[in-house]
Amino acid sequence: MEYRFLLDLAIILLSTKLLGLATKRMHMPQVVGALLAGLLLGPAVLGVLEETAFVQSVAEIGVIVLMFCAGLETDVQELKKCGKAAFVIAVLGVLVPLAGGFLVGWVFNRPGRIDSDASCSLFLQNMFIGVVLTATSVSITVETLKELGKLQSKSGNAILGAAIIDDVLGIIALTIITSAADSSVKMSTILIKILLFFVFSGVAGFAFFKFYDWWSRRTRLLHRHAIVAFVFCLLMAYCAEEFFGVADITGAYIAGVIISMTQTTQYLSSRFDTLSYLMLSPVFFASIGLKVNLPAMTPSIVLFAVVLVVIAVITKVIGCGFGAKLCGYRTCTCVQIGVGMVSRGEVALIVASQGMRVGLIGANFLGPVVIVVIVTTIVTPILQKIVYNNSPKPEIVHNGLSDNYQELREIRDRAN
């Protein structure tokens, strides 16, 4: 039996902790250290670790638990209030990066500047570059907001709501562009599946809530609640991905939101926070860095990568921030929301891999996409801390979790 995975896990946990403490001393969120650990130890720099099947599986569970915890700490009433705003933020947060990415592709993706080996037309290739920029990896933002104690602020709720809608819009955009490039993909089928997923979530959520409320009144063994809640989380994540083509983290988040309306939320939040912090989250964030393996790039490709990074950051901040402004948010809150949606993370890598499969993006353009993922993933928590620390204190939404979560943060800080 191969025991290498034990050594890999030990190296990941130790390195993410040490670099997390180092970044904390530099007044940056510890998640930055975890990301750098994966980058430094991965094939892009030292080559000590590689992304094995074990790391991939643990990382996937890690992001599922992270989003489940975010759902547990979501105020449903506040989420309802910001529902319209979240939709506007998400729509502009997709359209503006889509246009920006297309423009960058139109400038660079042409013979004589950067040659592409993609099989689709230049128009579809450039549109796909825009689609890659529409992606949002809210997991990085969630961890940073939790670390800063801002997850229950108005901006935090708006970011979470917009991120869920952004995920659906991103799937639709990806479906449209891949349908144009691959006749085997039927857009109508995918759109129907997305609609059915939300119908399924409503029915399954209502049934589980009634069962869980009835069952929880009849048992006092709280550890059983954690098991039942985790099973529901995993089932929702599985059904979302397997049957409806929606990201598994969306199903996990919805499961957390449903359970957040029960009486055992504080206990479950503390248990899953420990599980995530102990192993799952460090492996997930390190795995992002392990994905990086940059090819040799010409000066033109390097320039394209720099421009793409700048456009990726600016378009999300402007699109989401302007959407928030249209909905009446204060300027400082608009900036917080815009910055919170910047990270592309693993979502952009997944989108890019789908594009390569159907000939929508050439190999020369994959390196710049990876650079966008790295830079936006690392700068997002840094920018978040800057905008929150230099803005008026946001209004915190009290849903019965804030005092408990503050206690958890104080325990974690002492442990650090």
Side-chain angles (χ1 to χ4, degrees):
M1 182 177 180
E2 178 62 55
Y3 290 98
R4 168 72 191 195
F5 73 95
L6 296 176
L7 178 61
D8 290 347
L9 184 58
I11 293 173
I12 289 174
L13 294 179
L14 180 62
S15 61
T16 53
K17 186 59 182 178
L18 292 177
L19 285 175
L21 291 174
T23 53
K24 183 180 180 181
R25 284 183 175 274
M26 293 185 287
H27 306 288
M28 293 189 296
Q30 293 191 60
V31 65
V32 176
L35 294 167
L36 288 174
L39 180 62
L40 294 175
L41 295 176
V45 183
L46 298 177
V48 176
L49 298 174
E50 60 182 20
E51 192 181 33
T52 62
F54 170 77
V55 172
Q56 289 178 346
S57 298
V58 175
E60 190 64 25
I61 298 174
V63 69
I64 287 173
V65 171
L66 182 62
M67 293 308 298
F68 180 63
C69 291
L72 287 176
E73 294 160 14
T74 298
D75 183 277
V76 176
Q77 297 304 318
E78 184 64 24
L79 194 60
K80 289 179 180 178
K81 292 179 183 178
C82 70
K84 179 181 177 181
F87 180 78
V88 174
I89 293 168
V91 169
L92 290 178
V94 166
L95 292 179
V96 176
L98 180 64
F102 175 82
L103 180 61
V104 176
W106 179 79
V107 171
F108 286 91
N109 184 23
R110 57 181 63 189
R113 292 189 179 174
I114 300 178
D115 295 323
S116 174
D117 58 355
S119 59
C120 295
S121 66
L122 286 178
F123 175 79
L124 288 179
Q125 292 179 45
N126 297 337
M127 283 295 295
F128 185 75
I129 293 174
V131 171
V132 171
L133 295 193
T134 64
T136 295
S137 178
V138 72
S139 53
I140 308 295
T141 297
V142 166
E143 181 66 17
T144 306
L145 289 174
K146 288 174 67 176
E147 191 172 327
L148 296 175
K150 308 297 183 183
L151 187 58
Q152 295 172 338
S153 64
K154 283 190 172 182
S155 59
N157 278 279
I159 289 170
L160 286 172
I164 295 300
I165 300 172
D166 183 286
D167 180 59
V168 175
L169 294 178
I171 293 173
I172 294 174
L174 179 61
T175 302
I176 293 174
I177 194 70
T178 52
S179 297
D182 185 356
S183 58
S184 66
V185 179
K186 294 184 178 180
M187 182 177 64
S188 59
T189 302
I190 300 299
L191 296 180
I192 291 173
K193 282 186 175 182
I194 293 173
L195 178 62
L196 289 177
F197 167 72
F198 286 101
V199 174
F200 166 78
S201 297
V203 174
F206 179 79
F208 179 82
F209 177 80
K210 289 297 184 182
F211 160 76
Y212 188 81
D213 186 60
W214 170 83
W215 176 75
S216 62
R217 297 177 189 275
R218 287 162 175 76
T219 179
R220 296 183 179 180
L221 300 176
L222 290 179
H223 63 275
R224 294 181 180 177
H225 290 259
I227 295 174
V228 171
F230 197 23
V231 168
F232 180 60
C233 164
L234 295 176
L235 287 176
M236 287 293 291
Y238 173 78
C239 290
E241 189 77 53
E242 183 69 17
F243 301 121
F244 301 100
V246 178
D248 50 9
I249 59 175
T250 303
Y253 175 74
I254 291 177
V257 171
I258 293 169
I259 296 178
S260 72
M261 295 181 283
T262 66
Q263 301 299 315
T264 58
T265 310
Q266 292 187 10
Y267 171 79
L268 294 176
S269 180
S270 64
R271 294 293 84 102
F272 282 99
D273 183 78
T274 301
L275 173 64
S276 178
Y277 176 70
L278 180 64
M279 183 180 77
L280 298 179
S281 287
V283 174
F284 165 65
F285 291 117
S287 71
I288 296 177
L290 294 179
K291 294 178 185 291
V292 179
N293 190 2
L294 297 177
M297 296 191 295
T298 65
S300 297
I301 297 178
V302 172
L303 178 60
F304 170 73
V306 172
V307 174
L308 194 65
V309 167
V310 173
I311 293 298
V313 174
I314 292 177
T315 52
K316 273 294 183 182
V317 174
I318 292 177
C320 297
F322 182 65
K325 193 65 176 179
L326 290 178
C327 297
Y329 285 90
R330 295 182 302 172
T331 301
C332 61
T333 305
C334 294
V335 176
Q336 293 166 357
I337 293 172
V339 168
M341 299 288 283
V342 164
S343 176
R344 297 325 196 265
E346 78 291 349
V347 179
L349 294 176
I350 294 172
V351 173
S353 65
Q354 290 294 316
M356 289 196 70
R357 183 178 62 84
V358 296
L360 279 166
I361 186 172
N364 286 335
F365 293 90
L366 186 60
V369 169
V370 172
I371 292 176
V372 168
V373 171
I374 297 171
V375 175
T376 58
T377 300
I378 290 177
V379 303
T380 296
I382 297 173
L383 293 177
Q384 277 185 284
K385 184 164 185 178
I386 292 173
V387 297
Y388 274 103
N389 288 346
N390 292 282
S391 299
K393 185 177 181 181
E395 180 180 347
I396 301 297
V397 180
H398 293 281
N399 62 351
L401 281 175
S402 56
D403 294 338
N404 175 71
Y405 186 69
Q406 181 61 32
E407 181 180 349
L408 287 175
R409 288 187 66 245
E410 290 174 356
I411 293 174
R412 176 186 285 191
D413 289 342
R414 288 197 296 269
N416 289 339

